[in-house]
Amino acid sequence: MRRVWAALAVLTLVATACTDDEDQPPQTEDKGAGRPLPSTPVDVGPAGAGDPYFPTLGNRGYDVEHYTLDLDYDPGTDVLDGTATIDAEATEALESFNLDLAGMEVASVTVDGDDAEFDRDDDELIVTPAEALGEGSGFTTVVAYSGVPDAAIADSLGIEVGWVTTDDGAYVLSQPDGAHTWYPVNDHPSDKAGYSFEITVPDPYVAAANGVLTDRTTAEGNTTFVWDAPDPMASYLAEVAVGNFVIEDGGTVGDVVIRNVYATDLADEAAGVTGSTPEMLEFYAEQWGPYPFDAYGVLVVDVALGVALETQTLSLFGPDTVGDEIILAHELAHQWFGDAVSPARWRDIWLNEGFATYAEWMWTQHADGTPIARTAEGIYRAQEPGEQTRPILDPGPDGLFDGAVYERGGLTLYALQVEVGDAAFQEILRTYFERFNGESVTTDDFVGVAEEVSGKDLDALFEAWLLEIDLPPFPKAPPPAS
Ligand SMILES: [Zn+2]
């Protein structure tokens, strides 16, 4: 996620006006010296994955391997007819289990081909299979549902998240909690899964989704688009968009298919600014390791979103963000850090945004020669005393996208680079990516790699940058520009 700065300024003002800090205590448990990084989840039962930021998001007791979403969408009525086929494994014995789903009418649920009982409780879909599931058993749930999806305003962003309708279709912007507005899902990044999409829309509309377009079949005035995204993906990164689009073939970079999806009216303008994608992709792959997916490209919808989002393999932009090369770099960098390696809890969001912000500085150094050290110092000097009210490791559910999570997050990596040196720093990032590609991680996982690779005790550095409010001194002895 990356806001345009003008929007950030406006949203910061709104947040300041509406926030009474005395009513919202910080969420770290312990302020004592030498404390461990916070890691205790709350126990919320089967209706949640144990993330205190969103107690009912995600679910306990099973691990999804694959979602097959067969969707029929009519931009004329906004009605979405869906059949979700969910392949999962029970991680404990289950007499019933929950999925997350907001609104929508559920017509039927089967488990392993047998009708299952189901119940609704707010945004929970509670499924009771005909036969209980044994621990370790694989099972397939099929949910038939329909309705007009209802996107909701996210407290952390002040914008609609979920399935958002437009004049000529819809797009999905789900971070952090919008995925369950349009399909039944274990809606938490700790449970990643592969996806297949079969989306049928009336002609001449185009349906785009994550991954590679593998089939496109027209019959009786409708076209079905089949998109395949087999690599593990967090639910908030799933993208479907329908509208008047053109799909641009951008060739390949090595084995990676480059394809972009543009709102027809914006296609010429967008194609003019996304030409740097192959060079960016090669640059980051050289730094961190091979690009983790089969495809990459951007989706440009004809809506000024105020943000861009790193939807996996197909980053989402509007006309207000696609022209900014730094934001293009930010969302591409997220494919490594955020998408391939995802946060296991939302409090660890700096692992996404700090890394993508640091990646912006890397691209700036590469593209125009401005040393990372100079960019970092400029960002550091611009920090306003008193502006940050919470530690960036645990910014609170409404502070997920605060500027500090981005800028201080990037500065945390810069401080690490200064502490361990350039070569060890690069090796830390490469090792972290290679080890956790396809997984969900906590800050402890990153700190563990940093200490292992560097051979240094880095607790004091990470505590000062991640858990304190006051800024540490600017890191001394910045490395020479490379
Ligand atoms: Zn971001």
Side-chain angles (χ1 to χ4, degrees):
M1 170 77 68
R2 174 71 145 75
R3 287 172 173 164
V4 293
W5 292 124
L8 178 63
V10 170
L11 289 164
T12 303
L13 289 173
V14 171
T16 305
C18 299
T19 299
D20 181 351
D21 286 330
E22 286 174 356
D23 292 342
Q24 299 182 1
Q27 309 228 341
T28 38
E29 291 97 42
D30 180 359
K31 292 287 186 185
R35 63 201 174 276
L37 299 175
S39 64
T40 313
V42 292
D43 185 3
V44 292
D51 190 328
Y53 281 24
F54 300 98
T56 63
L57 270 197
N59 303 283
R60 295 274 181 85
Y62 63 95
D63 178 13
V64 178
E65 284 154 25
H66 197 91
Y67 295 90
T68 302
L69 302 179
D70 190 340
L71 307 175
D72 215 290
Y73 181 65
D74 182 353
T77 62
D78 294 330
V79 171
L80 177 68
D81 277 307
T83 302
T85 302
I86 304 167
D87 298 314
E89 182 183 317
T91 55
E92 58 191 72
L94 295 172
E95 294 201 344
S96 67
F97 60 91
N98 288 28
L99 288 157
D100 302 306
L101 180 65
M104 310 299 280
E105 193 75 27
V106 175
S108 67
V109 180
T110 66
V111 175
D112 291 334
D114 295 326
D115 285 338
E117 287 180 30
F118 62 92
D119 210 350
R120 306 295 298 274
D121 183 9
D122 285 330
D123 291 356
E124 301 290 323
L125 170 62
I126 303 156
V127 178
T128 306
E131 284 183 39
L133 301 162
E135 182 181 344
S137 61
F139 64 101
T140 299
T141 306
V142 179
V143 180
Y145 63 102
S146 67
V148 177
D150 196 7
I153 301 286
D155 293 341
S156 50
L157 284 168
I159 63 172
E160 281 188 310
V161 299
W163 179 281
V164 184
T165 55
T166 63
D167 291 345
D168 64 345
Y171 64 88
V172 167
L173 192 165
S174 286
Q175 193 180 26
D177 60 347
H180 65 286
T181 65
W182 62 282
Y183 67 105
V185 55
N186 193 20
D187 196 3
H188 193 268
S190 57
D191 184 6
K192 296 163 62 160
Y195 283 70
S196 309
F197 304 89
E198 290 187 31
I199 311 155
T200 301
V201 293
D203 296 331
Y205 295 108
V206 168
N210 314 85
V212 175
L213 180 64
T214 59
D215 194 34
R216 177 177 182 157
T217 308
T218 298
E220 297 171 6
N222 294 304
T223 298
T224 300
F225 296 80
V226 180
W227 295 82
D228 188 31
D231 293 308
M233 178 162 75
S235 52
Y236 74 91
L237 298 170
E239 177 63 64
V240 165
V242 175
N244 291 300
F245 296 137
V246 294
I247 302 174
E248 179 199 59
D249 176 358
T252 57
V253 178
D255 295 334
V256 181
V257 172
I258 306 295
R259 45 90 187 96
N260 299 297
V261 181
Y262 303 133
T264 307
D265 290 348
L266 299 170
D268 289 345
E269 183 191 338
V273 295
T274 58
S276 55
T277 296
E279 186 191 345
M280 274 184 193
L281 195 149
E282 286 180 328
F283 170 70
Y284 287 129
E286 251 168 55
Q287 304 289 320
W288 300 326
Y291 177 78
F293 308 118
D294 297 336
Y296 188 67
V298 300
L299 164 66
V300 184
V301 297
D302 194 3
V303 179
L305 303 170
V307 301
L309 180 62
E310 62 271 22
T311 31
Q312 194 157 307
T313 74
L314 187 66
S315 295
L316 172 66
F317 291 80
D320 53 340
T321 46
V322 74
D324 188 329
E325 189 170 280
I326 290 300
I327 302 182
L328 288 166
H330 180 106
E331 307 309 342
L332 175 56
H334 269 313
Q335 305 299 313
W336 282 262
F337 300 114
D339 293 11
V341 181
S342 305
R345 295 170 318 211
W346 282 110
R347 75 191 338 168
D348 291 297
I349 187 71
W350 87 276
L351 293 172
N352 289 19
E353 301 307 346
F355 282 59
T357 300
Y358 184 88
E360 295 178 16
W361 308 346
M362 290 169 66
W363 179 253
T364 300
Q365 175 171 283
H366 175 79
D368 78 7
T370 306
I372 289 171
R374 192 189 304 162
T375 304
E377 183 153 16
I379 296 282
Y380 181 92
R381 301 288 171 220
Q383 301 299 302
E384 299 281 349
E387 190 177 303
Q388 188 183 338
T389 57
R390 294 182 183 179
I392 63 167
L393 174 58
D394 201 4
D398 54 356
L400 285 172
F401 305 106
D402 281 358
V405 171
Y406 290 68
E407 296 184 339
R408 186 166 173 158
L411 289 168
T412 301
L413 291 180
Y414 179 70
L416 174 65
Q417 179 180 4
V418 171
E419 176 69 24
V420 302
D422 289 2
F425 177 68
Q426 187 175 39
E427 193 56 30
I428 288 167
L429 295 190
R430 293 181 75 92
T431 304
Y432 171 66
F433 168 65
E434 187 182 8
R435 187 171 301 173
F436 296 109
N437 183 2
E439 309 285 331
S440 304
V441 298
T442 66
T443 296
D444 283 344
D445 293 317
F446 179 67
V447 172
V449 170
E451 293 191 330
E452 175 191 315
V453 171
S454 69
K456 291 188 167 192
D457 180 346
L458 298 167
D459 284 355
L461 181 146
F462 283 111
E463 281 183 21
W465 283 93
L466 299 178
L467 291 176
E468 303 296 337
I469 304 292
D470 293 336
L471 269 176
F474 186 70
K476 294 286 194 306
S482 53

PDB file of all heavy atoms in Angstrom, residues 1-2 310 330-331 334 352-353 356 406, ligand 1:
ATOM      1  N   MET A   1       0.848  -1.196   0.000  1.00  0.00           N
ATOM      2  CA  MET A   1       0.000   0.000   0.000  1.00  0.00           C
ATOM      3  C   MET A   1       0.875   1.234   0.000  1.00  0.00           C
ATOM      4  O   MET A   1       1.873   1.289   0.690  1.00  0.00           O
ATOM      5  CB  MET A   1      -0.878  -0.034   1.262  1.00  0.00           C
ATOM      6  CG  MET A   1      -1.635   1.223   1.541  1.00  0.00           C
ATOM      7  SD  MET A   1      -3.069   1.444   0.500  1.00  0.00           S
ATOM      8  CE  MET A   1      -4.133   0.127   1.095  1.00  0.00           C
ATOM      9  N   ARG A   2       0.500   2.179  -0.810  1.00  0.00           N
ATOM     10  CA  ARG A   2       1.227   3.456  -0.810  1.00  0.00           C
ATOM     11  C   ARG A   2       0.214   4.539  -1.107  1.00  0.00           C
ATOM     12  O   ARG A   2      -0.500   4.485  -2.095  1.00  0.00           O
ATOM     13  CB  ARG A   2       2.336   3.428  -1.866  1.00  0.00           C
ATOM     14  CG  ARG A   2       3.077   4.740  -2.068  1.00  0.00           C
ATOM     15  CD  ARG A   2       3.983   5.078  -0.894  1.00  0.00           C
ATOM     16  NE  ARG A   2       5.201   5.762  -1.335  1.00  0.00           N
ATOM     17  CZ  ARG A   2       5.254   7.048  -1.727  1.00  0.00           C
ATOM     18  NH1 ARG A   2       4.163   7.784  -1.736  1.00  0.00           N
ATOM     19  NH2 ARG A   2       6.403   7.573  -2.107  1.00  0.00           N
ATOM     20  N   GLU A 310      -0.281  -3.383  -3.664  1.00  0.00           N
ATOM     21  CA  GLU A 310       0.578  -4.411  -4.239  1.00  0.00           C
ATOM     22  C   GLU A 310      -0.144  -5.732  -4.484  1.00  0.00           C
ATOM     23  O   GLU A 310       0.412  -6.800  -4.202  1.00  0.00           O
ATOM     24  CB  GLU A 310       1.782  -4.623  -3.317  1.00  0.00           C
ATOM     25  CG  GLU A 310       1.447  -5.126  -1.891  1.00  0.00           C
ATOM     26  CD  GLU A 310       1.175  -4.047  -0.856  1.00  0.00           C
ATOM     27  OE1 GLU A 310       0.822  -2.922  -1.248  1.00  0.00           O
ATOM     28  OE2 GLU A 310       1.294  -4.329   0.344  1.00  0.00           O
ATOM     29  N   HIS A 330       7.663   1.070  -5.426  1.00  0.00           N
ATOM     30  CA  HIS A 330       7.178   0.628  -4.115  1.00  0.00           C
ATOM     31  C   HIS A 330       6.323  -0.640  -4.241  1.00  0.00           C
ATOM     32  O   HIS A 330       6.545  -1.630  -3.536  1.00  0.00           O
ATOM     33  CB  HIS A 330       6.370   1.782  -3.492  1.00  0.00           C
ATOM     34  CG  HIS A 330       5.801   1.511  -2.142  1.00  0.00           C
ATOM     35  ND1 HIS A 330       6.313   2.067  -0.992  1.00  0.00           N
ATOM     36  CD2 HIS A 330       4.751   0.750  -1.745  1.00  0.00           C
ATOM     37  CE1 HIS A 330       5.602   1.652   0.046  1.00  0.00           C
ATOM     38  NE2 HIS A 330       4.643   0.855  -0.383  1.00  0.00           N
ATOM     39  N   GLU A 331       5.366  -0.624  -5.161  1.00  0.00           N
ATOM     40  CA  GLU A 331       4.455  -1.774  -5.277  1.00  0.00           C
ATOM     41  C   GLU A 331       5.172  -2.995  -5.871  1.00  0.00           C
ATOM     42  O   GLU A 331       4.880  -4.133  -5.489  1.00  0.00           O
ATOM     43  CB  GLU A 331       3.226  -1.409  -6.122  1.00  0.00           C
ATOM     44  CG  GLU A 331       2.469  -0.165  -5.669  1.00  0.00           C
ATOM     45  CD  GLU A 331       2.099  -0.138  -4.194  1.00  0.00           C
ATOM     46  OE1 GLU A 331       2.110  -1.198  -3.540  1.00  0.00           O
ATOM     47  OE2 GLU A 331       1.824   0.963  -3.682  1.00  0.00           O
ATOM     48  N   HIS A 334       7.118  -4.654  -3.120  1.00  0.00           N
ATOM     49  CA  HIS A 334       6.246  -5.437  -2.231  1.00  0.00           C
ATOM     50  C   HIS A 334       6.064  -6.876  -2.708  1.00  0.00           C
ATOM     51  O   HIS A 334       5.688  -7.746  -1.914  1.00  0.00           O
ATOM     52  CB  HIS A 334       4.862  -4.806  -2.161  1.00  0.00           C
ATOM     53  CG  HIS A 334       4.680  -3.809  -1.068  1.00  0.00           C
ATOM     54  ND1 HIS A 334       5.080  -4.028   0.236  1.00  0.00           N
ATOM     55  CD2 HIS A 334       4.092  -2.572  -1.075  1.00  0.00           C
ATOM     56  CE1 HIS A 334       4.736  -2.970   0.974  1.00  0.00           C
ATOM     57  NE2 HIS A 334       4.155  -2.078   0.202  1.00  0.00           N
ATOM     58  N   ASN A 352       6.259  -4.975   5.792  1.00  0.00           N
ATOM     59  CA  ASN A 352       5.854  -4.616   4.427  1.00  0.00           C
ATOM     60  C   ASN A 352       6.328  -3.208   4.070  1.00  0.00           C
ATOM     61  O   ASN A 352       7.049  -2.999   3.100  1.00  0.00           O
ATOM     62  CB  ASN A 352       4.323  -4.620   4.295  1.00  0.00           C
ATOM     63  CG  ASN A 352       3.705  -5.999   4.344  1.00  0.00           C
ATOM     64  OD1 ASN A 352       4.307  -6.952   4.805  1.00  0.00           O
ATOM     65  ND2 ASN A 352       2.472  -6.090   3.883  1.00  0.00           N
ATOM     66  N   GLU A 353       5.863  -2.254   4.870  1.00  0.00           N
ATOM     67  CA  GLU A 353       5.973  -0.857   4.427  1.00  0.00           C
ATOM     68  C   GLU A 353       7.366  -0.272   4.640  1.00  0.00           C
ATOM     69  O   GLU A 353       7.825   0.552   3.846  1.00  0.00           O
ATOM     70  CB  GLU A 353       4.904  -0.006   5.116  1.00  0.00           C
ATOM     71  CG  GLU A 353       3.468  -0.483   4.849  1.00  0.00           C
ATOM     72  CD  GLU A 353       3.136  -0.640   3.376  1.00  0.00           C
ATOM     73  OE1 GLU A 353       3.894  -0.145   2.521  1.00  0.00           O
ATOM     74  OE2 GLU A 353       2.111  -1.290   3.080  1.00  0.00           O
ATOM     75  N   ALA A 356       9.350  -1.666   1.647  1.00  0.00           N
ATOM     76  CA  ALA A 356       9.011  -1.038   0.356  1.00  0.00           C
ATOM     77  C   ALA A 356       9.477   0.409   0.315  1.00  0.00           C
ATOM     78  O   ALA A 356       9.846   0.923  -0.746  1.00  0.00           O
ATOM     79  CB  ALA A 356       7.504  -1.141   0.104  1.00  0.00           C
ATOM     80  N   TYR A 406       6.068   3.698   7.538  1.00  0.00           N
ATOM     81  CA  TYR A 406       6.814   3.697   6.279  1.00  0.00           C
ATOM     82  C   TYR A 406       8.219   4.265   6.485  1.00  0.00           C
ATOM     83  O   TYR A 406       9.224   3.622   6.179  1.00  0.00           O
ATOM     84  CB  TYR A 406       6.074   4.548   5.250  1.00  0.00           C
ATOM     85  CG  TYR A 406       4.777   3.950   4.765  1.00  0.00           C
ATOM     86  CD1 TYR A 406       3.683   3.823   5.612  1.00  0.00           C
ATOM     87  CD2 TYR A 406       4.630   3.506   3.460  1.00  0.00           C
ATOM     88  CE1 TYR A 406       2.493   3.268   5.170  1.00  0.00           C
ATOM     89  CE2 TYR A 406       3.443   2.954   3.006  1.00  0.00           C
ATOM     90  CZ  TYR A 406       2.375   2.848   3.858  1.00  0.00           C
ATOM     91  OH  TYR A 406       1.207   2.292   3.427  1.00  0.00           O
TER      92      TYR A 406
HETATM   93 ZN    ZN B   1       3.263  -0.279   0.636  1.00  0.00          ZN
END
